[in-house]
Structure formats: structure tokens, C-alpha cells
Amino acid sequence: MAKLKIGVFGAYRGMTMISVLIHHPDAELVAVCDKYEPALKKAGEAAEQVGMRIALYTDFEDFFRHDMDAVVLANYANEHAPFAIRLLNSGRHVLSEVLPAETMAQAVELIEAVERSGKVYAYAENYCYMDHTFEMRRRYERGHVGDVMYAEGEYIHDCAGIWPGITYGEKDHWRNRMYPTFYCTHSIGPILTITGRRPVRVTGFVTQQNETVPPLGLRMGECAGIEMLTLDNGAIVKSVHGHLKREPGSVNYEVYGTKGSMESQRFAPTAAEGRLKELQVYREGEKVCEGTTEKYAPQKFVSAELAERYSTHGGSDFYATHFFIEKILGREEGLKYSIDVYTAVDMGICGILAYRSVLNGGAPMDIPNLRNPAERDAWRSDNACTNPAVAGNQLLPCYPGGDKTYPDAVYENVRRMWLGEKKD
């Protein structure tokens, strides 16, 4: 069987996918595209080290014309949907990094592009595949904690220390223009894949801004977003993510069910410290409030031999790419575990609609089920977001009280920091 010919758009974040593709038994990395030539060179060198020669492009149009069966989108997080739609329409399968869409209109168009094309769309929400979250899914599917009643997802990452390296001093970089609830799928995604439930309502909250942080150009300021979700069975989920002061950052999940609970250990050592993150599972027995508690470091249980080779994001980056390939090939693991467009959109629009809730004084927002064509028309022209190029006259502020503004000197200084120069 011929290997799948796969290209990667975005060599910086895409390097993790590239490392999987150049070793995967069923895939052939054929092309990489990035505007930043040093990243492109690094991708080419990685391929050469294993005896592969790949095409390198700085222009997407040239990359688009390359002979490829599938493309991994690891470009800017607010631009995934337009490129995914175009690639699907051209007959290519798509693996999209987070986030799935910038607007409700894009979410509708993306779903319909997948349905029309018949091609595989997979969502690379890697936090769903970390050892502890993947194990929580397995335990939940086996009924070990019953039906979810309450859950929490937490992704705390204060990016101030790495801001120059991820925004490059670009004034209109998507990270500088995002709003507090936008980057929500690291905290929401695992809860949805663990439980298999769909969100039906959301209320959004935003913390105050941290004024003690040196100015870096983020228009929403340093703050955090919170989403309170209602799931389709009546369960409640709290999602929190963003710039809060905690080192190391926190990636934590809790699921309380009708028969027990599961939670990752927030203060346990991490893989980076040489130990796996532990999981605690409580299962109630025949007597009320009496049961058994297990505390252990979960092991990989799917394609473990291949997965053990990869360590980025706790090894979860491997699975998003692997299940994409497996789904294209029609294999059971890919069909079961690859995140489809409907679930991806569910994860992403929680943040979009949570911000509408914030801007409307905390009013709850119903979340449409875009699997249903009848619910799509109301959102086809909804381009409201914080990106002027997309929003037009539907432009939203990056923070409820209005955008923070900075002189150009702030962005120039961030760029100097990125280039390794000393501050004045």
C-alpha cells in the first residue's frame, strides 16, 4: 500500500507533526510551508536526517499546488478554518491545529465543506490524548464513575515570559488580538471527549487585568477567561484558561459522576520532571459513601510502541497525527479516537459564545447543534470577532472594557527581545 502523501503548513508548531510524519509507517512527508525561513530550514534538516528530501515553500500558493493527499494546518490559530475549507474543497484531507474557527460563520462553512467533500477533517486537540485524559476517557467509557454530573478543565499558562518568542513583535499577531475566552479548547476539549457529551449552554466570565505585568502588546491585557457550560445531560462544567500566576502552569481535569470521580493530580510531578502525571479514581461500592480509591500513573494503551517515541505535550502530539492517518485509512483506532469536525466545532464555539455572554452582561447563551442543518442559517453571516480583516462592521473589543493600547515602541521592544537584543 502506498503511503499517504502529507504536507505541513506552519513549520514552527508543525515541527511536532513533522517529527511524527517522518517516522510514521503509513505516511510520507512531502512538503512544508512557512514564511519564516529558519523554521523551514529546520524542517528540511529534520527530514534529511532520516534520508528524506521534501519540498520547502515560503508561499502557500506554491505549496497548495504540490501533490498531497492531506495537509496538517499548524499556521496561525485564527486562520485554520479558511485554509481548511479551501483544502477540503480541493480534495485534500485536513488535520487542523487549535482552534477550529474564528467565527460562527466560519464554523458553519467548515462543517459544510467537510460534508460536501467527503474528506477526513481531524482536530488536533492534543490535550485530549495526554496519558491522564486519555485514560479518563477509557475509564469513563467503561462506566467506572457513571454519568457525569460536574467537571472541571483547567489550562493555566502565563505566557508573559515567552511572549516575544510567540508574537515576534507583530502588532497584529493573532495572540495580541485575541479575547479572553478565545483559546478555550485545551480546557474544554478533554471534558467533551472524556464524557462524549455535547455543550448546550454557556455563560462567560473574564477576570480583571493584571496591571503589574510589563507591557507586551496584548490588547486584552493579562487576564483569564472562564466558561460555565451546561451539557446535554444537565451536567455543569467549569473551564478556566489564560494568564494567571502559577509556575509551572496547570493542566488539570476533574470529572464527578453518579458512581464516582476522576481527577488528575494538579501538584504531582510532570513528565518533564521524570515522572508521569498521576490520576486518582474513586468508585463508590454498594454502600453509599464507601468505595475504592486508586492513584496511579496511567500508561499508554493505544499504539504504545509508536507513541513512546514522542514526548512533546506529554506525548499527546503523536496521537492527534496518528489517529488522523488511521482515520483516512479507515482503521478502527482512527475512526474511534480522531476528533471530527462536529466535536471540534463544539469545543471552539464555546469560547466564541462565552465572550458574547460576557459582552451581554453575563447572559447565558444557547449553543447551537451545528450537526443539524436547520440550526446553521442563523449563524451564516455572523463574523463577529476581534480581527478587523474578518469582522468588518461586526468588530468586537478584545476586552469587555475596551482594548488596551500601546505605543509602537512596545512592539519594537518585543521584537528586539525576540531577536535576542538587550532592552534599553
mmCIF file of all heavy atoms in Angstrom, residues 102-141:
data_model
loop_
_atom_site.group_PDB
_atom_site.id
_atom_site.type_symbol
_atom_site.label_atom_id
_atom_site.label_comp_id
_atom_site.label_asym_id
_atom_site.label_seq_id
_atom_site.Cartn_x
_atom_site.Cartn_y
_atom_site.Cartn_z
ATOM 1 N N GLU A 102 -12.602 30.929 13.713
ATOM 2 C CA GLU A 102 -12.537 32.227 14.391
ATOM 3 C C GLU A 102 -13.922 32.814 14.624
ATOM 4 O O GLU A 102 -14.112 33.606 15.542
ATOM 5 C CB GLU A 102 -11.695 33.205 13.557
ATOM 6 C CG GLU A 102 -11.429 34.522 14.225
ATOM 7 C CD GLU A 102 -10.448 35.396 13.456
ATOM 8 O OE1 GLU A 102 -10.330 35.223 12.226
ATOM 9 O OE2 GLU A 102 -9.801 36.243 14.092
ATOM 10 N N THR A 103 -14.894 32.429 13.797
ATOM 11 C CA THR A 103 -16.240 32.991 13.888
ATOM 12 C C THR A 103 -17.287 31.896 13.757
ATOM 13 O O THR A 103 -17.003 30.783 13.299
ATOM 14 C CB THR A 103 -16.495 34.026 12.779
ATOM 15 O OG1 THR A 103 -16.560 33.346 11.512
ATOM 16 C CG2 THR A 103 -15.398 35.084 12.728
ATOM 17 N N MET A 104 -18.510 32.226 14.092
ATOM 18 C CA MET A 104 -19.617 31.286 13.923
ATOM 19 C C MET A 104 -19.856 31.003 12.443
ATOM 20 O O MET A 104 -20.161 29.868 12.061
ATOM 21 C CB MET A 104 -20.880 31.849 14.575
ATOM 22 C CG MET A 104 -20.798 31.986 16.087
ATOM 23 S SD MET A 104 -20.570 30.403 16.944
ATOM 24 C CE MET A 104 -22.112 29.576 16.573
ATOM 25 N N ALA A 105 -19.718 32.013 11.608
ATOM 26 C CA ALA A 105 -19.907 31.812 10.167
ATOM 27 C C ALA A 105 -18.872 30.824 9.627
ATOM 28 O O ALA A 105 -19.196 29.948 8.805
ATOM 29 C CB ALA A 105 -19.808 33.144 9.433
ATOM 30 N N GLN A 106 -17.635 30.951 10.064
ATOM 31 C CA GLN A 106 -16.601 30.003 9.630
ATOM 32 C C GLN A 106 -16.907 28.590 10.116
ATOM 33 O O GLN A 106 -16.646 27.622 9.397
ATOM 34 C CB GLN A 106 -15.238 30.440 10.165
ATOM 35 C CG GLN A 106 -14.635 31.639 9.468
ATOM 36 C CD GLN A 106 -13.270 31.996 10.027
ATOM 37 O OE1 GLN A 106 -12.743 31.308 10.904
ATOM 38 N NE2 GLN A 106 -12.691 33.083 9.539
ATOM 39 N N ALA A 107 -17.452 28.462 11.317
ATOM 40 C CA ALA A 107 -17.783 27.137 11.843
ATOM 41 C C ALA A 107 -18.804 26.443 10.960
ATOM 42 O O ALA A 107 -18.679 25.249 10.642
ATOM 43 C CB ALA A 107 -18.309 27.266 13.271
ATOM 44 N N VAL A 108 -19.824 27.181 10.521
ATOM 45 C CA VAL A 108 -20.835 26.621 9.622
ATOM 46 C C VAL A 108 -20.205 26.233 8.292
ATOM 47 O O VAL A 108 -20.424 25.130 7.766
ATOM 48 C CB VAL A 108 -21.973 27.635 9.403
ATOM 49 C CG1 VAL A 108 -22.919 27.149 8.298
ATOM 50 C CG2 VAL A 108 -22.743 27.862 10.695
ATOM 51 N N GLU A 109 -19.406 27.137 7.726
ATOM 52 C CA GLU A 109 -18.792 26.877 6.422
ATOM 53 C C GLU A 109 -17.835 25.691 6.484
ATOM 54 O O GLU A 109 -17.767 24.888 5.547
ATOM 55 C CB GLU A 109 -18.055 28.130 5.943
ATOM 56 C CG GLU A 109 -17.582 28.039 4.503
ATOM 57 C CD GLU A 109 -16.913 29.304 3.999
ATOM 58 O OE1 GLU A 109 -16.807 30.284 4.774
ATOM 59 O OE2 GLU A 109 -16.493 29.314 2.831
ATOM 60 N N LEU A 110 -17.108 25.567 7.594
ATOM 61 C CA LEU A 110 -16.178 24.450 7.750
ATOM 62 C C LEU A 110 -16.926 23.124 7.779
ATOM 63 O O LEU A 110 -16.547 22.160 7.091
ATOM 64 C CB LEU A 110 -15.372 24.628 9.039
ATOM 65 C CG LEU A 110 -14.435 23.492 9.424
ATOM 66 C CD1 LEU A 110 -13.352 23.294 8.363
ATOM 67 C CD2 LEU A 110 -13.806 23.752 10.793
ATOM 68 N N ILE A 111 -17.978 23.043 8.568
ATOM 69 C CA ILE A 111 -18.764 21.806 8.640
ATOM 70 C C ILE A 111 -19.294 21.424 7.272
ATOM 71 O O ILE A 111 -19.218 20.258 6.851
ATOM 72 C CB ILE A 111 -19.913 21.972 9.656
ATOM 73 C CG1 ILE A 111 -19.362 21.907 11.088
ATOM 74 C CG2 ILE A 111 -20.988 20.908 9.451
ATOM 75 C CD1 ILE A 111 -20.385 22.206 12.161
ATOM 76 N N GLU A 112 -19.802 22.393 6.552
ATOM 77 C CA GLU A 112 -20.396 22.082 5.251
ATOM 78 C C GLU A 112 -19.344 21.717 4.215
ATOM 79 O O GLU A 112 -19.611 20.915 3.305
ATOM 80 C CB GLU A 112 -21.272 23.243 4.794
ATOM 81 C CG GLU A 112 -22.494 23.388 5.705
ATOM 82 C CD GLU A 112 -23.483 24.464 5.283
ATOM 83 O OE1 GLU A 112 -23.092 25.375 4.515
ATOM 84 O OE2 GLU A 112 -24.632 24.395 5.748
ATOM 85 N N ALA A 113 -18.142 22.256 4.359
ATOM 86 C CA ALA A 113 -17.045 21.857 3.462
ATOM 87 C C ALA A 113 -16.666 20.399 3.693
ATOM 88 O O ALA A 113 -16.383 19.654 2.750
ATOM 89 C CB ALA A 113 -15.839 22.758 3.669
ATOM 90 N N VAL A 114 -16.653 19.976 4.960
ATOM 91 C CA VAL A 114 -16.362 18.576 5.276
ATOM 92 C C VAL A 114 -17.446 17.678 4.706
ATOM 93 O O VAL A 114 -17.165 16.661 4.057
ATOM 94 C CB VAL A 114 -16.244 18.375 6.805
ATOM 95 C CG1 VAL A 114 -16.066 16.899 7.137
ATOM 96 C CG2 VAL A 114 -15.066 19.181 7.363
ATOM 97 N N GLU A 115 -18.691 18.038 4.937
ATOM 98 C CA GLU A 115 -19.804 17.215 4.446
ATOM 99 C C GLU A 115 -19.816 17.134 2.925
ATOM 100 O O GLU A 115 -20.044 16.054 2.352
ATOM 101 C CB GLU A 115 -21.128 17.797 4.952
ATOM 102 C CG GLU A 115 -21.296 17.696 6.456
ATOM 103 C CD GLU A 115 -22.545 18.396 6.959
ATOM 104 O OE1 GLU A 115 -23.095 19.265 6.226
ATOM 105 O OE2 GLU A 115 -22.963 18.105 8.086
ATOM 106 N N ARG A 116 -19.561 18.233 2.271
ATOM 107 C CA ARG A 116 -19.597 18.286 0.804
ATOM 108 C C ARG A 116 -18.450 17.497 0.186
ATOM 109 O O ARG A 116 -18.609 16.807 -0.814
ATOM 110 C CB ARG A 116 -19.553 19.743 0.358
ATOM 111 C CG ARG A 116 -19.700 19.976 -1.132
ATOM 112 C CD ARG A 116 -19.841 21.466 -1.430
ATOM 113 N NE ARG A 116 -18.739 22.252 -0.880
ATOM 114 C CZ ARG A 116 -18.862 23.110 0.127
ATOM 115 N NH1 ARG A 116 -20.029 23.289 0.718
ATOM 116 N NH2 ARG A 116 -17.816 23.792 0.563
ATOM 117 N N SER A 117 -17.265 17.606 0.798
ATOM 118 C CA SER A 117 -16.069 16.980 0.224
ATOM 119 C C SER A 117 -15.995 15.487 0.481
ATOM 120 O O SER A 117 -15.411 14.733 -0.300
ATOM 121 C CB SER A 117 -14.807 17.643 0.779
ATOM 122 O OG SER A 117 -14.630 17.319 2.157
ATOM 123 N N GLY A 118 -16.560 15.055 1.615
ATOM 124 C CA GLY A 118 -16.422 13.652 1.992
ATOM 125 C C GLY A 118 -15.030 13.299 2.486
ATOM 126 O O GLY A 118 -14.718 12.120 2.704
ATOM 127 N N LYS A 119 -14.187 14.296 2.698
ATOM 128 C CA LYS A 119 -12.816 14.055 3.156
ATOM 129 C C LYS A 119 -12.744 14.063 4.680
ATOM 130 O O LYS A 119 -13.644 14.548 5.363
ATOM 131 C CB LYS A 119 -11.871 15.121 2.581
ATOM 132 C CG LYS A 119 -11.747 15.068 1.067
ATOM 133 C CD LYS A 119 -11.190 13.726 0.613
ATOM 134 C CE LYS A 119 -11.108 13.603 -0.891
ATOM 135 N NZ LYS A 119 -10.579 12.290 -1.325
ATOM 136 N N VAL A 120 -11.652 13.539 5.194
ATOM 137 C CA VAL A 120 -11.455 13.488 6.640
ATOM 138 C C VAL A 120 -10.983 14.846 7.146
ATOM 139 O O VAL A 120 -10.022 15.419 6.632
ATOM 140 C CB VAL A 120 -10.431 12.401 7.024
ATOM 141 C CG1 VAL A 120 -10.019 12.535 8.497
ATOM 142 C CG2 VAL A 120 -10.996 11.010 6.765
ATOM 143 N N TYR A 121 -11.691 15.355 8.139
ATOM 144 C CA TYR A 121 -11.219 16.503 8.910
ATOM 145 C C TYR A 121 -10.987 15.991 10.320
ATOM 146 O O TYR A 121 -11.861 15.342 10.918
ATOM 147 C CB TYR A 121 -12.261 17.627 8.927
ATOM 148 C CG TYR A 121 -11.931 18.752 9.889
ATOM 149 C CD1 TYR A 121 -11.295 19.904 9.433
ATOM 150 C CD2 TYR A 121 -12.243 18.655 11.247
ATOM 151 C CE1 TYR A 121 -10.984 20.939 10.317
ATOM 152 C CE2 TYR A 121 -11.930 19.679 12.136
ATOM 153 C CZ TYR A 121 -11.304 20.821 11.663
ATOM 154 O OH TYR A 121 -10.987 21.833 12.540
ATOM 155 N N ALA A 122 -9.818 16.269 10.853
ATOM 156 C CA ALA A 122 -9.496 15.864 12.221
ATOM 157 C C ALA A 122 -8.978 17.081 12.978
ATOM 158 O O ALA A 122 -8.306 17.943 12.402
ATOM 159 C CB ALA A 122 -8.465 14.749 12.235
ATOM 160 N N TYR A 123 -9.286 17.120 14.265
ATOM 161 C CA TYR A 123 -8.906 18.247 15.097
ATOM 162 C C TYR A 123 -7.806 17.815 16.050
ATOM 163 O O TYR A 123 -7.955 16.840 16.797
ATOM 164 C CB TYR A 123 -10.126 18.744 15.868
ATOM 165 C CG TYR A 123 -9.916 20.018 16.645
ATOM 166 C CD1 TYR A 123 -9.390 21.151 16.038
ATOM 167 C CD2 TYR A 123 -10.277 20.101 17.982
ATOM 168 C CE1 TYR A 123 -9.222 22.327 16.741
ATOM 169 C CE2 TYR A 123 -10.116 21.276 18.700
ATOM 170 C CZ TYR A 123 -9.584 22.387 18.073
ATOM 171 O OH TYR A 123 -9.408 23.560 18.772
ATOM 172 N N ALA A 124 -6.704 18.541 16.043
ATOM 173 C CA ALA A 124 -5.511 18.145 16.798
ATOM 174 C C ALA A 124 -5.512 18.741 18.207
ATOM 175 O O ALA A 124 -4.520 19.366 18.617
ATOM 176 C CB ALA A 124 -4.251 18.557 16.040
ATOM 177 N N GLU A 125 -6.603 18.550 18.943
ATOM 178 C CA GLU A 125 -6.634 18.994 20.339
ATOM 179 C C GLU A 125 -5.876 17.967 21.166
ATOM 180 O O GLU A 125 -6.429 17.013 21.702
ATOM 181 C CB GLU A 125 -8.076 19.155 20.815
ATOM 182 C CG GLU A 125 -8.212 19.623 22.256
ATOM 183 C CD GLU A 125 -7.201 20.678 22.663
ATOM 184 O OE1 GLU A 125 -7.445 21.870 22.401
ATOM 185 O OE2 GLU A 125 -6.157 20.318 23.240
ATOM 186 N N ASN A 126 -4.557 18.211 21.249
ATOM 187 C CA ASN A 126 -3.669 17.202 21.839
ATOM 188 C C ASN A 126 -3.927 16.940 23.315
ATOM 189 O O ASN A 126 -3.617 15.863 23.822
ATOM 190 C CB ASN A 126 -2.202 17.611 21.622
ATOM 191 C CG ASN A 126 -1.917 19.036 22.049
ATOM 192 O OD1 ASN A 126 -2.812 19.770 22.434
ATOM 193 N ND2 ASN A 126 -0.669 19.434 21.970
ATOM 194 N N TYR A 127 -4.520 17.903 24.036
ATOM 195 C CA TYR A 127 -4.744 17.688 25.459
ATOM 196 C C TYR A 127 -5.746 16.559 25.721
ATOM 197 O O TYR A 127 -5.800 16.025 26.824
ATOM 198 C CB TYR A 127 -5.189 18.994 26.131
ATOM 199 C CG TYR A 127 -4.033 19.937 26.362
ATOM 200 C CD1 TYR A 127 -3.288 20.450 25.294
ATOM 201 C CD2 TYR A 127 -3.657 20.306 27.644
ATOM 202 C CE1 TYR A 127 -2.213 21.288 25.492
ATOM 203 C CE2 TYR A 127 -2.578 21.164 27.853
ATOM 204 C CZ TYR A 127 -1.853 21.636 26.770
ATOM 205 O OH TYR A 127 -0.782 22.476 26.975
ATOM 206 N N CYS A 128 -6.499 16.180 24.706
ATOM 207 C CA CYS A 128 -7.415 15.040 24.835
ATOM 208 C C CYS A 128 -6.667 13.717 24.870
ATOM 209 O O CYS A 128 -7.242 12.690 25.261
ATOM 210 C CB CYS A 128 -8.401 15.025 23.667
ATOM 211 S SG CYS A 128 -9.458 16.481 23.583
ATOM 212 N N TYR A 129 -5.394 13.732 24.453
ATOM 213 C CA TYR A 129 -4.630 12.489 24.317
ATOM 214 C C TYR A 129 -3.470 12.377 25.302
ATOM 215 O O TYR A 129 -2.636 11.490 25.172
ATOM 216 C CB TYR A 129 -4.090 12.369 22.891
ATOM 217 C CG TYR A 129 -5.147 12.431 21.823
ATOM 218 C CD1 TYR A 129 -5.134 13.433 20.866
ATOM 219 C CD2 TYR A 129 -6.165 11.485 21.773
ATOM 220 C CE1 TYR A 129 -6.105 13.485 19.864
ATOM 221 C CE2 TYR A 129 -7.128 11.530 20.784
ATOM 222 C CZ TYR A 129 -7.095 12.542 19.834
ATOM 223 O OH TYR A 129 -8.054 12.587 18.849
ATOM 224 N N MET A 130 -3.397 13.279 26.276
ATOM 225 C CA MET A 130 -2.389 13.108 27.312
ATOM 226 C C MET A 130 -2.693 11.834 28.093
ATOM 227 O O MET A 130 -3.847 11.380 28.142
ATOM 228 C CB MET A 130 -2.364 14.327 28.224
ATOM 229 C CG MET A 130 -1.825 15.568 27.533
ATOM 230 S SD MET A 130 -1.732 16.990 28.630
ATOM 231 C CE MET A 130 -0.745 18.100 27.629
ATOM 232 N N ASP A 131 -1.682 11.253 28.692
ATOM 233 C CA ASP A 131 -1.882 9.948 29.334
ATOM 234 C C ASP A 131 -3.045 9.963 30.318
ATOM 235 O O ASP A 131 -3.854 9.030 30.360
ATOM 236 C CB ASP A 131 -0.603 9.509 30.055
ATOM 237 C CG ASP A 131 0.506 9.119 29.086
ATOM 238 O OD1 ASP A 131 0.194 8.811 27.922
ATOM 239 O OD2 ASP A 131 1.684 9.125 29.503
ATOM 240 N N HIS A 132 -3.148 11.028 31.123
ATOM 241 C CA HIS A 132 -4.205 11.051 32.136
ATOM 242 C C HIS A 132 -5.579 11.310 31.534
ATOM 243 O O HIS A 132 -6.567 10.683 31.934
ATOM 244 C CB HIS A 132 -3.882 12.061 33.246
ATOM 245 C CG HIS A 132 -3.643 13.451 32.777
ATOM 246 N ND1 HIS A 132 -2.573 13.808 31.996
ATOM 247 C CD2 HIS A 132 -4.346 14.597 32.998
ATOM 248 C CE1 HIS A 132 -2.615 15.107 31.760
ATOM 249 N NE2 HIS A 132 -3.682 15.598 32.342
ATOM 250 N N THR A 133 -5.687 12.221 30.542
ATOM 251 C CA THR A 133 -7.003 12.493 29.961
ATOM 252 C C THR A 133 -7.485 11.334 29.096
ATOM 253 O O THR A 133 -8.684 11.017 29.071
ATOM 254 C CB THR A 133 -6.984 13.788 29.143
ATOM 255 O OG1 THR A 133 -5.915 13.746 28.190
ATOM 256 C CG2 THR A 133 -6.819 14.993 30.036
ATOM 257 N N PHE A 134 -6.555 10.693 28.380
ATOM 258 C CA PHE A 134 -6.930 9.551 27.550
ATOM 259 C C PHE A 134 -7.388 8.389 28.434
ATOM 260 O O PHE A 134 -8.362 7.694 28.126
ATOM 261 C CB PHE A 134 -5.725 9.143 26.688
ATOM 262 C CG PHE A 134 -6.100 8.565 25.350
ATOM 263 C CD1 PHE A 134 -7.413 8.455 24.932
ATOM 264 C CD2 PHE A 134 -5.110 8.123 24.488
ATOM 265 C CE1 PHE A 134 -7.749 7.930 23.697
ATOM 266 C CE2 PHE A 134 -5.425 7.591 23.247
ATOM 267 C CZ PHE A 134 -6.749 7.491 22.856
ATOM 268 N N GLU A 135 -6.705 8.195 29.545
ATOM 269 C CA GLU A 135 -7.101 7.148 30.483
ATOM 270 C C GLU A 135 -8.458 7.481 31.115
ATOM 271 O O GLU A 135 -9.283 6.573 31.343
ATOM 272 C CB GLU A 135 -6.045 7.000 31.576
ATOM 273 C CG GLU A 135 -6.401 6.032 32.697
ATOM 274 C CD GLU A 135 -6.315 4.561 32.305
ATOM 275 O OE1 GLU A 135 -6.135 4.254 31.101
ATOM 276 O OE2 GLU A 135 -6.444 3.709 33.209
ATOM 277 N N MET A 136 -8.715 8.757 31.395
ATOM 278 C CA MET A 136 -10.013 9.152 31.940
ATOM 279 C C MET A 136 -11.129 8.818 30.959
ATOM 280 O O MET A 136 -12.215 8.371 31.356
ATOM 281 C CB MET A 136 -10.010 10.646 32.289
ATOM 282 C CG MET A 136 -9.131 10.985 33.482
ATOM 283 S SD MET A 136 -8.870 12.761 33.699
ATOM 284 C CE MET A 136 -10.368 13.224 34.560
ATOM 285 N N ARG A 137 -10.861 9.000 29.688
ATOM 286 C CA ARG A 137 -11.857 8.636 28.675
ATOM 287 C C ARG A 137 -12.135 7.137 28.717
ATOM 288 O O ARG A 137 -13.295 6.703 28.666
ATOM 289 C CB ARG A 137 -11.378 9.051 27.288
ATOM 290 C CG ARG A 137 -12.284 8.571 26.166
ATOM 291 C CD ARG A 137 -11.886 9.106 24.823
ATOM 292 N NE ARG A 137 -12.722 8.544 23.761
ATOM 293 C CZ ARG A 137 -12.747 8.976 22.512
ATOM 294 N NH1 ARG A 137 -11.980 9.997 22.158
ATOM 295 N NH2 ARG A 137 -13.529 8.411 21.619
ATOM 296 N N ARG A 138 -11.077 6.347 28.792
ATOM 297 C CA ARG A 138 -11.246 4.897 28.818
ATOM 298 C C ARG A 138 -12.032 4.463 30.049
ATOM 299 O O ARG A 138 -12.949 3.630 29.953
ATOM 300 C CB ARG A 138 -9.882 4.201 28.782
ATOM 301 C CG ARG A 138 -10.007 2.683 28.803
ATOM 302 C CD ARG A 138 -8.719 1.997 28.431
ATOM 303 N NE ARG A 138 -7.686 2.087 29.445
ATOM 304 C CZ ARG A 138 -6.677 1.212 29.545
ATOM 305 N NH1 ARG A 138 -6.580 0.201 28.695
ATOM 306 N NH2 ARG A 138 -5.768 1.369 30.486
ATOM 307 N N ARG A 139 -11.705 5.020 31.211
ATOM 308 C CA ARG A 139 -12.405 4.656 32.442
ATOM 309 C C ARG A 139 -13.880 5.093 32.382
ATOM 310 O O ARG A 139 -14.774 4.383 32.839
ATOM 311 C CB ARG A 139 -11.721 5.277 33.661
ATOM 312 C CG ARG A 139 -10.271 4.841 33.913
ATOM 313 C CD ARG A 139 -10.153 3.390 34.334
ATOM 314 N NE ARG A 139 -10.807 3.066 35.576
ATOM 315 C CZ ARG A 139 -10.188 2.936 36.756
ATOM 316 N NH1 ARG A 139 -8.877 3.140 36.857
ATOM 317 N NH2 ARG A 139 -10.871 2.605 37.838
ATOM 318 N N TYR A 140 -14.116 6.276 31.818
ATOM 319 C CA TYR A 140 -15.492 6.763 31.712
ATOM 320 C C TYR A 140 -16.311 5.863 30.784
ATOM 321 O O TYR A 140 -17.468 5.509 31.099
ATOM 322 C CB TYR A 140 -15.510 8.201 31.187
ATOM 323 C CG TYR A 140 -16.877 8.847 31.257
ATOM 324 C CD1 TYR A 140 -17.277 9.538 32.391
ATOM 325 C CD2 TYR A 140 -17.781 8.741 30.199
ATOM 326 C CE1 TYR A 140 -18.539 10.121 32.475
ATOM 327 C CE2 TYR A 140 -19.043 9.312 30.270
ATOM 328 C CZ TYR A 140 -19.415 9.997 31.410
ATOM 329 O OH TYR A 140 -20.678 10.559 31.494
ATOM 330 N N GLU A 141 -15.718 5.491 29.642
ATOM 331 C CA GLU A 141 -16.425 4.628 28.690
ATOM 332 C C GLU A 141 -16.785 3.278 29.309
ATOM 333 O O GLU A 141 -17.789 2.661 28.935
ATOM 334 C CB GLU A 141 -15.575 4.414 27.442
ATOM 335 C CG GLU A 141 -15.487 5.648 26.551
ATOM 336 C CD GLU A 141 -14.543 5.459 25.376
ATOM 337 O OE1 GLU A 141 -13.744 4.489 25.396
ATOM 338 O OE2 GLU A 141 -14.603 6.272 24.436
#
